[in-house]
Structure formats: structure tokens, C-alpha cells
Amino acid sequence: MMKLDAFDPLESIVVTADQMGKIESRLFEAGMPVAALMEKAALLMSRRIQELYPLCNLSRVGILVGPGHNGGDALVIARELHLQGYNVCLYRPFIQSKELTIQHLKYAQSLGIPYSQEIEFLENCELIIDGLFGFGLTRELSGNIAQAIEFINHLNIPIISVDLPSGLNTDTGEVLGIAIKATYTLCLGLWKPVFFQDKALEYLGNVERINFGIPPKDVWAIVAKPAPLQILTPTLARGFLPLPRPLVTHKYQQGHLLLICGSRRYAGGSILTGLGARSSGVGMLSIAVPESLKSLLVSHLPDALIIDCPETENGAIAELPPLAADFNNYDIIGCGPGLTQEVTSVVEKVLKANCPVILDADALNILAKLGTMDSLSQRKATTILTPHLGEFKRLFPNISDPGCDRIAAVRTAAQDTGAIILLKGARTAIATPNGSVWLISESTPALARGGSGDVLTGLIGGLLAQNIASGGKIETGVDVGGIVATAAWWHAQAGILAAKERTELGVDAFTLSQWLVKVGIVK
Ligand SMILES: NC(=O)C1=CN([C@@H]2O[C@H](COP(=O)(O)OP(=O)(O)OC[C@H]3O[C@@H](n4cnc5c(N)ncnc54)[C@H](O)[C@@H]3O)[C@@H](O)[C@H]2O)[C@@H](O)CC1
Ligand SMILES: Nc1ncnc2c1ncn2[C@@H]1O[C@H](COP(=O)(O)OP(=O)(O)O)[C@@H](O)[C@H]1O
Ligand SMILES: [K+]
């Protein structure tokens, strides 16, 4: 889980290793002594470590000391814990180190803190502080360092990583040979992309940011405003919600969403999409389904207008009747869940609509087969694609493996197509064509179940419909990414809340749709 500080203006900013280095350099050039900054950060960390693991519960703490300033931080922590009475010992495999790190080592030695170049020295520890490498690591780890990390990971004791788990690439989250599997990671200063890369999650443990007071002006001197990489924090999400509602309004002013979804084989997908939309508060909801599903949909969503469409032999939508085909009646269209891949002509027609369009599931597979991704950039209205990793790979075979760097992949996809792309996963990322990416900082694997994505499609559609109908900024494209991200945040929060009460096994997609309204979105 990730702890966010609602009152810190830098809490939503995510910077790359290169940007962090540049921001840090500005502080040093302005006169901040390197040692003083290290002291500030490491003192805060050592205080936090003492809260997490009080002295009375521990007999021995092992500290991994690297050659750079991550190692320097670790040595300051070692010194402080020692002075507080902890029994501390050091593993320091490097002969050569940065000057400041050597100085801290000298002082630690003068205090009588024992150290060794052999990792077995830490065998009887009950807590490990990992200060081997931070954002300065670029090369693969091998040899004795790799073996030491393997040894530590097998000790089965809590590990606290300084800044990030040693062995992870700060930007891509890639494991550089081998990496520490932390219980806690104390991110220093500003969030980095590694905290939002799916494949890094199992290494991070619980994540907290240590705010040691970086002046915002130094951040904005390096990072463009608005930041190209941002966490959708609860405070930002609340700003994107259509609340409060105007006192005098009517249903059409609260948005009219058309969903095109479902088939005989995947009837439930249309219900779940409808339930997601309903939870958004949308004013009017129309759902076009194959005619044989009409009564089923009416029984689940009596508030929605169900449009029955002629169907194929297999029970898929054959064509859209006039009521659904006149797209001028709607603020936005959501198309895809449960359609089957038969409905190519419907998807082609939807792509020609003048209003914003959300494509998900089968609509994405059809789009991939049509091979007309280029045509997306010709669309005048906004297009939103919501693929999971498999769908993303089918849509964008030429973008390098999104499994390696999801953030870079989704950004490229949005820039190439001119569409808003929401890449689903443990940490969903939403990219806009101007290169900015929104990140969802927490979720739950309870959502890894069939149908939860359908709920999300409906929710996105319903939120955007309300924004458009109220003369919102979507027309100028300004905040669409933020609204889409708000839907993803809301969806994840509902999953977290439901899982807390029902365990991670208890959040089926229908339950999820019911929990959306229980999220405390306006605290
Ligand atoms: N973010 C900030 O503003 C602050 C950062 N601080 C610390 O400074 C860290 C960054 O420090 P550094 O730039 O010194 O970098 P690191 O401490 O992350 O490590 C880089 C060092 O490791 C060596 N190295 C890299 N790859 C290696 C490999 N595969 N095998 C062996 N050695 C390798 C490099 O030659 C260099 O000496 C942060 O992660 C953080 O812990 C703090 O001291 C305070 C403030
Ligand atoms: N491990 C996970 N942690 C958090 N969220 C997850 C995880 N796995 C899947 N999800 C979320 O669940 C939803 C699944 O959507 P999708 O794959 O489209 O499923 P479906 O098509 O069956 O509805 C997405 O919103 C995704 O982000
Ligand atoms: K580290």
C-alpha cells in the first residue's frame, strides 16, 4: 500500500531519476550542503524506522552499505540507530565509495559499529536496512553483490529499502539482475516511476515518501507544469468529479451515455457496464444490446433505456437501429464489453461518430484486426481506449513490450494515435496525446476478475457524459485524461474498500459495481 500526504503540493508529482538528479543538483548549486541534505533525509528515515520497529522488539539490525549516497544515507541511519541503543552491524562490500559515504563510514567505525565484507555477518539480524543502491544504479548487478541480495532475500526478515529496493531501475522498474524484496520502501523526496510499474510491485512492499523539504520552485525549474507524470491523488480526483450538482438541472443536463455492448454469449458484460455507468450518477443511460437480451437488461437496470438491436445467428448485434444509430442523441458512446468479434461494422460506424467514444474489450480487438489505428488521429472528437496488457499488445505490436516500461508504452501509444489510452493493470496508467500520464497509486488484486473492466468502462462513460453535458472542458480536451483517471481511481478505491470487508476473494464484478457508491469520494 502507498501512503499519500494530502497536504503536500508535491505529493502528486513523479520524477525520473534524471530529473531527481537535476533537482538535487539545483539545491547543491544554491548552497545547500550535500551532507546537510543527506542528514535531513536520513534523520527522518531513522525516526520512521524506530516507529516501525521499536528498539524493544529487536536485538540486531543489519545495514547494507553501498558505494554512493544511498550507502551514505544508510550509514547516517546506522549511526542514529546505534545512538538510540540499537545493536547495529554493517555489510559493506565496496572498497571504493563516494567521499561523503567514506566520511560517514569513518565516524561509524569510531563509534565502534562493527562491519564486514561478508554478508554472512548479518545472519542473526532481525531487521535489514537496504542502502546498497538508490536512483544512481544503472548497471546489472552480479557477483558477490548479487549473491548478497539473494542471501538477504532468503533470511525471511523485514527489510526497509532506502529510496528504492536496490537492484531496481528507478524509471522502468526493471530488475537489474537481482533486487532486494523490501517490506517497506521509504521513497526520498519525490515519487519516481518505479513505484507505479507493475513488475516492481512485488519488490516494493509498503511504500512511504519521506518529505525532506524540496522547494517547489526547484522542482518546477526541472519538471514542466503541469507535470507530465502525475499521481491522481484523492484531492485531484475530487476536483474532477461532477459535484456539487447544480440545484436546478434536469436529466439531459447530467449527460446522456449510449452503451453498445453484450451478446448472447456475453450477456453479463452489458449488465456490468450498465451498472458501472449507473454508479457514476449519469443523467440518462441508453444501452443497445441484441434484442434477445432486452428483458434481462430491463430487469437489472430499470432506470436505463434499453435499445434492442437486430441480432446475428450467434446472438451478437447485427446492426444498430435508428434510435441507437443517431449518435447526435448522445453526449458520448461506450462500446465493446461482451460484443464478440462479429460486430465489425458497428465498431466502424461508432468510430465515425462526431461525439467522444470509449472503446473497450471486443471493440479493441476489432480495432486491432481492422488495422486502422492511424485513422484514430483523424477523429475530431476524443477517443478513449481502455486495453489490458493483452489488448494493448494486439493494438500496438510495434511499441516495445509494455511489460518492460508500462508508462513509456502507454505514453507512446497516446502520442501516436491522438487517443487517451488507459492501460489497465495492478497500477493503471492513463496517457493523453500531449504526453502527460496519470497514475493510479493503489489498487487491489481483488479486481483481477472477469467483468471488473466492464464496470470501469461504464463508469468512465458516465463521468465523461456528465462533464460534457454540463459544458465541460472535454470539448477542448483539457481535462479528459483527469476524468478518465478519476474513474480508474474510484474503481480501484471501491475494490480496496470491498476487499477490506469481504477479503480479496469477495470482490466479484457485480459486488464491485455496488461498492462504487460507498467510496467516500467527498471527504
Ligand atoms: N533524492 C535526493 O535528493 C537525495 C538523495 N540521497 C541519496 O542519494 C542516492 C543517490 O546517490 P548516488 O547518486 O550516489 O547513487 P547510488 O547510491 O544509488 O549508487 C550509485 C553508486 O553505485 C555505483 N554503481 C552503479 N551501478 C553499480 C553496479 N552494478 N555495481 C557496483 N556499483 C555500481 C556507482 O558507480 C555509484 O558510485 C539516492 O538514492 C538517495 O538514497 C540522499 O542522500 C539525500 C537526498
Ligand atoms: N492485480 C491487480 N491489481 C489491481 N487491479 C487489477 C489487477 N488485475 C486487474 N485489475 C483491474 O481489474 C480490471 C480488469 O479489467 P479487464 O482485464 O478488462 O477485465 P474484464 O474484461 O474481464 O472486465 C482493470 O481495471 C484492472 O486494472
Ligand atoms: K536502496
Side-chain angles (χ1 to χ4, degrees):
M1 279 293 141
M2 178 173 276
K3 231 170 124 182
L4 293 178
D5 178 353
F7 301 104
D8 181 350
L10 297 180
E11 186 65 353
S12 66
I13 311 301
V14 181
V15 298
T16 61
D18 179 57
Q19 288 172 327
M20 189 72 231
K22 286 181 176 147
I23 293 166
E24 207 184 40
S25 300
R26 280 182 63 85
L27 307 190
F28 300 148
E29 280 158 24
M32 179 72 177
V34 180
L37 197 66
M38 182 181 284
E39 202 69 15
K40 275 180 87 169
L43 285 179
L44 288 169
M45 278 190 285
S46 74
R47 233 176 272 156
R48 185 66 187 128
I49 292 165
Q50 289 170 62
E51 280 169 15
L52 291 170
Y53 296 96
L55 176 60
C56 53
N57 299 338
L58 288 179
S59 61
R60 200 166 144 92
V61 182
I63 312 238
L64 313 179
V65 182
H69 286 169
N70 199 256
D73 289 346
L75 285 164
V76 176
I77 294 170
R79 182 196 74 207
E80 287 304 300
L81 293 183
H82 168 83
L83 292 174
Q84 294 303 318
Y86 286 75
N87 178 5
V88 173
C89 54
L90 310 177
Y91 164 67
R92 186 199 165 234
F94 300 94
I95 309 285
Q96 307 244 319
S97 293
K98 285 192 174 172
E99 190 50 43
L100 184 56
T101 307
I102 290 176
Q103 236 175 309
H104 280 302
L105 180 71
K106 200 171 147 203
Y107 189 58
Q109 282 174 296
S110 81
L111 291 172
I113 299 176
Y115 75 93
S116 168
Q117 284 185 302
E118 306 298 328
I119 191 66
E120 290 76 15
F121 189 53
L122 305 192
E123 201 157 27
N124 298 320
C125 290
E126 289 167 318
L127 172 69
I128 297 290
I129 309 298
D130 155 35
L132 279 176
F133 303 102
F135 69 72
L137 181 72
T138 46
R139 293 178 278 129
E140 289 263 321
L141 297 176
S142 57
N144 64 330
I145 300 298
Q147 283 165 11
I149 292 180
E150 174 125 34
F151 179 89
I152 292 294
N153 282 345
H154 279 102
L155 282 181
N156 235 345
I157 55 172
I159 305 175
I160 300 183
S161 282
V162 173
D163 209 8
L164 64 150
S166 300
L168 293 185
N169 179 301
T170 310
D171 294 340
T172 65
E174 266 168 296
V175 176
L176 295 165
I178 187 166
I180 289 283
K181 283 200 164 164
T183 316
Y184 279 90
T185 299
L186 304 180
C187 166
L188 290 179
L190 298 166
W191 294 114
K192 330 280 185 319
V194 59
F195 294 99
F196 310 93
Q197 298 281 11
D198 277 15
K199 65 178 173 328
L201 293 190
E202 61 171 320
Y203 294 88
L204 296 166
N206 295 309
V207 172
E208 297 181 17
R209 184 171 75 99
I210 300 291
N211 174 4
F212 57 82
I214 298 177
K217 73 173 173 59
D218 290 300
V219 175
W220 297 123
I222 300 299
V223 178
K225 210 171 184 177
L229 252 189
Q230 269 201 85
I231 301 174
L232 201 278
T233 60
T235 311
L236 289 168
R238 281 176 207 123
F240 286 118
L241 286 167
L243 288 170
R245 273 196 167 187
L247 285 178
V248 180
T249 183
H250 61 73
K251 59 196 173 194
Y252 288 104
Q253 283 175 329
Q254 296 309 316
H256 193 172
L257 165 67
L258 170 65
L259 294 175
I260 303 171
C261 47
S263 59
R264 190 185 307 145
R265 184 164 156 71
Y266 304 113
S270 49
I271 299 171
L272 292 167
T273 314
L275 291 173
R278 169 200 265 176
S279 299
S280 72
V282 68
M284 284 296 291
L285 175 59
S286 290
I287 312 178
V289 291
E291 56 199 359
S292 57
L293 299 189
K294 179 165 181 168
S295 58
L296 179 72
L297 267 285
V298 170
S299 67
H300 281 277
L301 290 136
D303 43 314
L305 297 175
I306 309 301
I307 303 172
D308 45 326
C309 306
E311 61 186 62
T312 66
E313 249 177 48
N314 301 322
I317 295 175
E319 59 176 305
L320 295 176
L323 192 54
D326 186 358
F327 297 142
N328 294 326
N329 293 332
Y330 308 99
D331 294 304
I332 183 164
I333 304 167
C335 173
L339 277 184
T340 80
Q341 294 194 35
E342 266 188 73
V343 292
T344 308
S345 62
V346 172
V347 172
E348 282 177 313
K349 197 168 165 52
V350 166
L351 280 167
K352 294 197 183 107
N354 292 323
C355 62
V357 163
I358 307 158
L359 299 182
D360 181 35
D362 282 324
L364 297 177
N365 295 326
I366 289 169
L367 186 62
K369 270 204 292 196
L370 285 172
T372 52
M373 293 303 284
D374 292 350
S375 67
L376 288 184
S377 48
Q378 262 101 66
R379 271 182 47 81
K380 291 211 176 69
T382 306
T383 312
I384 297 141
L385 310 181
T386 60
H388 57 54
L389 196 60
E391 289 156 349
F392 187 95
K393 285 181 181 170
R394 284 193 283 279
L395 283 170
F396 304 104
N398 299 329
I399 294 182
S400 61
D401 185 3
C404 287
D405 184 350
R406 289 165 50 85
I407 296 171
V410 75
R411 177 179 276 150
T412 307
Q415 286 172 327
D416 287 358
T417 55
I420 310 258
I421 317 266
L422 177 148
L423 176 56
K424 293 170 185 167
R427 292 293 174 269
T428 291
I430 301 96
T432 61
N434 69 359
S436 62
V437 178
W438 290 99
L439 300 164
I440 305 303
S441 65
E442 56 174 5
S443 187
T444 166
L447 292 182
R449 293 182 71 158
S452 50
D454 302 343
V455 174
L456 177 62
T457 303
L459 185 63
I460 295 172
L463 278 186
L464 286 173
Q466 291 172 80
N467 183 273
I468 298 164
S470 63
K473 304 148 209 158
I474 187 170
E475 290 308 334
T476 53
V478 177
D479 282 336
V480 197
I483 297 169
V484 173
T486 296
W489 168 82
W490 188 354
H491 182 257
Q493 289 298 313
I496 291 170
L497 211 63
K500 259 189 203 143
E501 185 148 308
R502 300 168 56 100
T503 83
E504 287 172 355
L505 308 181
V507 195
D508 58 275
F510 176 80
T511 299
L512 172 69
S513 72
Q514 306 303 295
W515 276 78
L516 284 169
V517 291
K518 299 186 189 177
V519 174
I521 51 177
V522 273
K523 267 184 213 140

